[in-house]
Amino acid sequence: MDNAQIATLFEDMANLLEIRGENQFKIRAYQNAARAIKFAERPLRETWEHGELTGIKGVGKGIAEKIDELFQTGSVDEFHELKKDLPDGILDLLKVNGMGPKKVKLVYDELGVGSIAELKQAAEAGKLRGLPKMGARSEEKILKAIINLEQTTDRFTLGFAGGAANALLEVVRKVKGVSRAEIAGSLRRGRETVGDVDILASAADSEAVMRAFVSAEGVSETLAQGDTKSSVLVERGLQADLRVVEASSFGAAFHYFTGSKEHNVLMRERAVKRKWKLNEYGLFETETDRLIAGETEEDIFDALGLAWIPPELREGRDEIDLAEGGALPHLIDMSDLRAALHNHTTASDGHMTLAELVEQAEKRGFEIVAVTDHSGSLGVANGLTPDRLKKQIDEIHDFNESHDGARVLAGSEVDIRADGSMDFDDDLLSRLDLVIASVHASFEQPRDKMTARVLRAIENPHVDIIAHPTGRLIGKRPPIELDTDRIFAAAAKHGVAMEINSYDLRLDLNDRLIREAKAHGVRFTINCDTHSVSDFDHLPLGVKMARRGGLKARDVVNTLSPGELMKWLRRR
Ligand code: DGT
Ligand code: CA
Ligand code: CA
Ligand code: ZN
């Protein structure tokens, strides 16, 4: 067991104690231990072997005894005692946003609810609203959170799945005789979450490829190993399938396994109309089985009278009509981006100094870098007071004077307060080159109030960008309630850009909302919201979202030349 797993065990015990209504002092001790273990740098087993457990701040004699028991026997008796007589699904209830141990205790004690399914039933039947400190609104919130959870569990973020897939792809590509290997499936299409990873290869020796695949680093279990298909599990239970196909049908297989299913259905229908058939082996004449195309995707699209369709658009919407009419949009690309407009430094909660941020941005080819640290009311993120911001603006002006590379913009990510007012006054806002406005607290306002709040920010003449407009965190926090029709109409009217935040848990706006906003004539900005260097790596995910939303370079302000961008920033 590693530190994280042991920390989870103590967290579970703390939660079980709380659900059972036990002593607060003990609960606190277990919570503290969990935190201490989670952040300990040294493996706990090592500390234990050296007899130094109680040297860890937060681990007292009682906790040390439990850890000792764990390493001696492989389990902790108390954990099983605590779980006894409680339903198996009781801890799962804590995964529902808004359900803490106290609420779990309440629904269990009062209604006997012991699983997410039972909680959903109770909420649907209107049984929660009658409980102490609950009402119709919290009942509705819980129901929404469950639905949100159902839609995202068993799926993985694009960032996590992409990392695992690339590692496997590299292993496959290194095998001798592999002529081609690619990632297909929802990952290639850039869906915001991924069910499993699909990898495709063509190779002289399929067995060697399969052997390398199932023994790749990070593989925890082999589900199947065959000649043409193998499946494995990697970290967190993510499944990856590898298929080995003939080079002559690689294009057909690549197209088929890229999907989506809906897109494939439309493509097959198109083939059938021509008395052809399309499958993962190729495009064939139905009567004679003569192969018409199969080696490349381009050949297949071409034979069907279509331009090659970017994978991000293959969702069975209007992409085939567009490809037929030569009307596919020229989608935005990574290389179009010239400005990084949402970045945090050590002045607030970032890990890069101003100079480091600029250096890293320049390394990635950005010509403009905005510094947008948090505003003051966000206490937890070390937000800047007006005085600190004024000093930072001066600092940035000085920096630009003595710096030849990228131009640095003095900006701020300003909190939209609960009433829609901005966290800095107009005078200070007017001194900034760039103002990003975002909701970082009071997420739970009802739709009317939240919509009015964000509208007020959009109407503020200093605001340039609304960051991560829905605030959702995939699998963790549902989106805020917004009348997006009104929000996007106002953003288009006032020329405020809607952000596509590239962070993999956010991807906010997502592709659906991008399409909705685009229909209103909104402009966009794609940003990394960097807090540390590695956050720059998320940028391709934001670009994928934009492409899925059908955006061209000119829809996105980050593609403007420095001169045009400065002009845009002064537009109001
Ligand atoms: P996921 O894994 O749930 O995120 O989504 P996909 O799109 O990667 O789906 P997956 O892994 O089940 O299958 C990969 C692709 O293979 C899928 O996008 C289209 C193709 N495919 C799989 N099963 C079928 C099928 O029954 N009919 C058709 N037309 N295509 C299929
Ligand atoms: Ca898949
Ligand atoms: Ca699959
Ligand atoms: Zn930010």
Side-chain angles (χ1 to χ4, degrees), residues 35-100:
R35 208 165 312 127
I37 294 165
K38 191 154 114 193
F39 291 112
E41 281 177 20
R42 192 176 177 201
L44 203 61
R45 176 175 279 278
E46 211 178 290
T47 312
W48 171 69
E49 280 163 355
H50 287 79
E52 291 165 2
L53 284 175
T54 48
I56 301 175
K57 198 167 164 272
V59 176
K61 200 165 149 279
I63 301 283
E65 276 167 17
K66 300 286 168 200
I67 299 171
D68 185 56
E69 182 190 346
L70 179 66
F71 285 130
Q72 299 275 4
T73 69
S75 71
V76 176
D77 234 15
E78 189 188 7
F79 176 64
H80 300 287
E81 285 299 316
L82 285 170
K83 275 181 59 170
K84 218 155 94 189
D85 325 318
L86 286 177
D88 283 344
I90 196 110
L91 288 173
D92 290 342
L93 289 171
L94 293 162
K95 293 185 200 154
V96 177
N97 196 284
M99 290 293 295

Side-chain angles (χ1 to χ4, degrees), residues 327-389:
L328 283 171
H330 186 80
L331 299 178
I332 185 170
D333 213 283
M334 280 288 285
S335 61
D336 292 320
L337 301 176
R338 303 175 71 169
L341 295 178
H342 184 168
N343 307 289
H344 299 267
T345 71
T346 45
S348 63
D349 59 347
H351 297 287
M352 293 177 281
T353 62
L354 168 61
E356 283 163 354
L357 168 67
V358 176
E359 188 194 331
Q360 292 297 335
E362 284 173 347
K363 239 166 104 178
R364 289 161 178 80
F366 290 112
E367 297 157 69
I368 292 222
V369 196
V371 174
T372 57
D373 280 307
H374 290 287
S375 65
S377 77
L378 217 58
V380 284
N382 186 28
L384 273 63
T385 59
D387 276 341
R388 284 181 64 213
L389 179 59

Side-chain angles (χ1 to χ4, degrees), residues 142-162:
I142 286 172
L143 194 56
K144 278 217 181 97
I146 294 173
I147 291 164
N148 187 52
L149 193 69
E150 284 172 346
Q151 284 167 353
T152 46
T153 39
D154 300 334
R155 296 190 66 81
F156 297 83
T157 63
L158 210 45
F160 171 72

Side-chain angles (χ1 to χ4, degrees), residues 171-409:
V171 168
V172 170
R173 282 187 173 161
K174 278 202 187 113
V175 179
K176 229 179 114 207
V178 169
S179 55
R180 197 164 175 203
E182 301 287 349
I183 291 169
S186 52
L187 199 51
R188 183 174 181 225
R189 302 199 310 280
R191 257 192 82 173
E192 61 189 45
T193 61
V194 163
D196 70 1
V197 170
D198 302 280
I199 300 177
L200 214 62
S202 66
D205 179 359
S206 134
E207 212 194 311
V209 182
M210 295 308 188
R211 241 181 304 144
F213 180 66
V214 301
S215 51
E217 201 187 313
V219 168
S220 58
E221 199 181 327
T222 301
L223 301 174
Q225 183 177 355
D227 251 5
T228 57
K229 185 184 169 190
S230 294
S231 296
V232 297
L233 292 183
V234 296
E235 214 188 325
R236 299 189 210 167
L238 171 64
Q239 182 176 334
D241 300 335
L242 170 66
R243 292 179 179 83
V244 175
V245 301
E246 297 291 335
S248 59
S249 57
F250 190 91
F254 199 21
H255 176 263
Y256 180 88
F257 290 111
T258 295
S260 65
K261 266 177 207 161
E262 293 74 15
H263 167 87
N264 287 356
V265 167
L266 295 177
M267 288 286 282
R268 266 203 312 265
E269 283 172 7
R270 193 175 174 87
V272 167
K273 273 193 202 133
R274 288 165 167 71
K275 298 206 164 39
W276 296 340
K277 63 178 184 198
L278 177 64
N279 56 34
E280 62 263 52
Y281 303 105
L283 179 65
F284 300 91
E285 226 171 51
T286 312
E287 243 174 62
T288 62
D289 263 350
R290 184 181 67 89
L291 178 73
I292 297 166
E295 196 173 339
T296 71
E297 282 191 342
E298 284 82 353
D299 293 346
I300 291 168
F301 282 115
D302 195 47
L304 289 168
L306 300 171
W308 179 83
I309 301 174
E312 293 91 342
L313 297 181
R314 300 184 197 168
E315 294 294 343
R317 286 189 285 244
D318 55 355
E319 70 270 16
I320 293 179
D321 293 339
L322 294 176
E324 180 172 40
L328 283 171
H330 186 80
L331 299 178
I332 185 170
D333 213 283
M334 280 288 285
S335 61
D336 292 320
L337 301 176
R338 303 175 71 169
L341 295 178
H342 184 168
N343 307 289
H344 299 267
T345 71
T346 45
S348 63
D349 59 347
H351 297 287
M352 293 177 281
T353 62
L354 168 61
E356 283 163 354
L357 168 67
V358 176
E359 188 194 331
Q360 292 297 335
E362 284 173 347
K363 239 166 104 178
R364 289 161 178 80
F366 290 112
E367 297 157 69
I368 292 222
V369 196
V371 174
T372 57
D373 280 307
H374 290 287
S375 65
S377 77
L378 217 58
V380 284
N382 186 28
L384 273 63
T385 59
D387 276 341
R388 284 181 64 213
L389 179 59
K390 282 177 202 158
K391 278 207 196 91
Q392 191 186 46
I393 296 173
D394 290 339
E395 192 191 336
I396 289 169
H397 288 166
D398 289 346
F399 186 91
N400 276 327
E401 296 263 308
S402 60
H403 184 76
D404 272 342
R407 174 171 184 151
V408 185
L409 302 183

